Amino acid sequence: LGQGKSARSERKKKKRAQQELQAQLGQLHQAKKRKLQQAGVATDKSTGFAQAISGKSRVNEENLLPLKRFFWPEPKPEEPDDQLKLLRKNLGIKVKGSPIPSPVEQLADSRLPAEFGLFFKGPRGRKLTKPTPIQMQVWPAALCGLDIMGIAPTGSGKTLAYLLPAAVHVAGQESKKENLSPGALVLLPTRELASQVSDQ
């Protein structure tokens, strides 16, 4: 069924009719929008994104609290020396972009914030013996406030690599009592991954 010339011509007619209907609906919508604009009625019913990118945002920047981004005890890093390059090579870490601090090789590294120690003493943290390569390098970079794109295989500890620094960043910001906005946003591609991250 549906293989002959008559079936093809029917499909073409149906498609043409749909296109004509879409065009008519578009024209009606534009005509309605023009009438509303002439009457002085706002036609922009966006959720704010269009206003934000057009510079008509309702956010008063003077009321925003300063954003603290640097939680690393050492000064901002310079270009890596040969020893640091060799260490990263031995750990299988490749770094591109801004200079970042050297990797942390132990969970008890004194440069890590106290919040990390609290996690490592907890029930989930006790299972860890040593940071994975992505954690070794992402923790210092994230605590320096750098933007990071980390690529590592499944099961390599990526979730903990970004969640622990996120917790430090959230806890380290000033907050107003009336501010109920989220402190961190984690976007995940699947429900399964979202439940894994939620469990951690």
Side-chain angles (χ1 to χ4, degrees):
L1 285 174
Q3 299 288 329
K5 285 184 177 181
S6 61
R8 276 196 301 270
S9 66
E10 285 296 319
R11 283 195 302 266
K12 285 182 182 179
K13 285 179 187 176
K14 191 175 182 180
K15 186 175 180 181
R16 203 173 4 227
Q18 287 175 340
Q19 289 171 342
E20 289 173 5
L21 182 61
Q22 286 285 16
Q24 289 173 353
L25 288 173
Q27 290 170 355
L28 287 172
H29 177 72
Q30 290 299 326
K32 183 178 178 183
K33 192 172 180 179
R34 276 193 298 275
K35 281 183 183 178
L36 289 172
Q37 286 174 342
Q38 289 170 354
V41 178
T43 58
D44 183 16
K45 296 181 181 176
S46 74
T47 58
F49 179 75
Q51 292 174 355
I53 61 171
S54 68
K56 298 178 185 175
S57 177
R58 286 179 251 149
V59 175
N60 185 353
E61 292 184 17
E62 294 171 6
N63 292 339
L64 294 176
L65 295 171
L67 181 66
K68 186 178 176 189
R69 290 181 61 104
F70 200 81
F71 294 90
W72 193 244
E74 298 175 346
K76 292 199 177 186
E78 300 295 325
E79 289 298 322
D81 58 13
D82 291 338
Q83 184 180 0
L84 179 54
K85 288 178 182 177
L86 183 62
L87 172 65
R88 285 182 177 146
K89 183 178 180 182
N90 291 337
L91 293 171
I93 298 171
K94 294 180 182 177
V95 175
K96 292 182 181 178
S98 302
I100 58 175
S102 59
V104 293
E105 297 182 66
Q106 301 172 10
L107 298 176
D109 193 301
S110 61
R111 298 173 296 171
L112 292 173
E115 291 88 348
F116 278 48
L118 292 173
F119 176 80
F120 298 143
K121 290 175 186 171
R124 293 181 190 272
R126 280 193 211 118
K127 298 174 188 174
L128 302 174
T129 56
K130 182 181 176 185
T132 64
I134 192 160
Q135 293 167 349
M136 290 178 185
Q137 191 59 81
V138 167
W139 287 342
L143 292 168
C144 282
L146 297 172
D147 294 329
I148 303 161
M149 181 184 293
I151 301 170
T154 302
S156 60
K158 292 184 295 293
T159 304
L160 203 56
Y162 68 80
L163 280 185
L164 281 180
V168 172
H169 277 274
V170 169
Q173 304 303 324
E174 294 180 43
S175 64
K176 291 183 177 179
K177 290 182 181 176
E178 68 273 9
N179 183 7
L180 299 176
S181 61
L185 176 65
V186 178
L187 300 174
L188 300 161
T190 64
R191 185 181 302 237
E192 179 186 349
L193 191 55
S195 66
Q196 283 179 359
V197 170
S198 176
D199 291 344
Q200 287 193 11

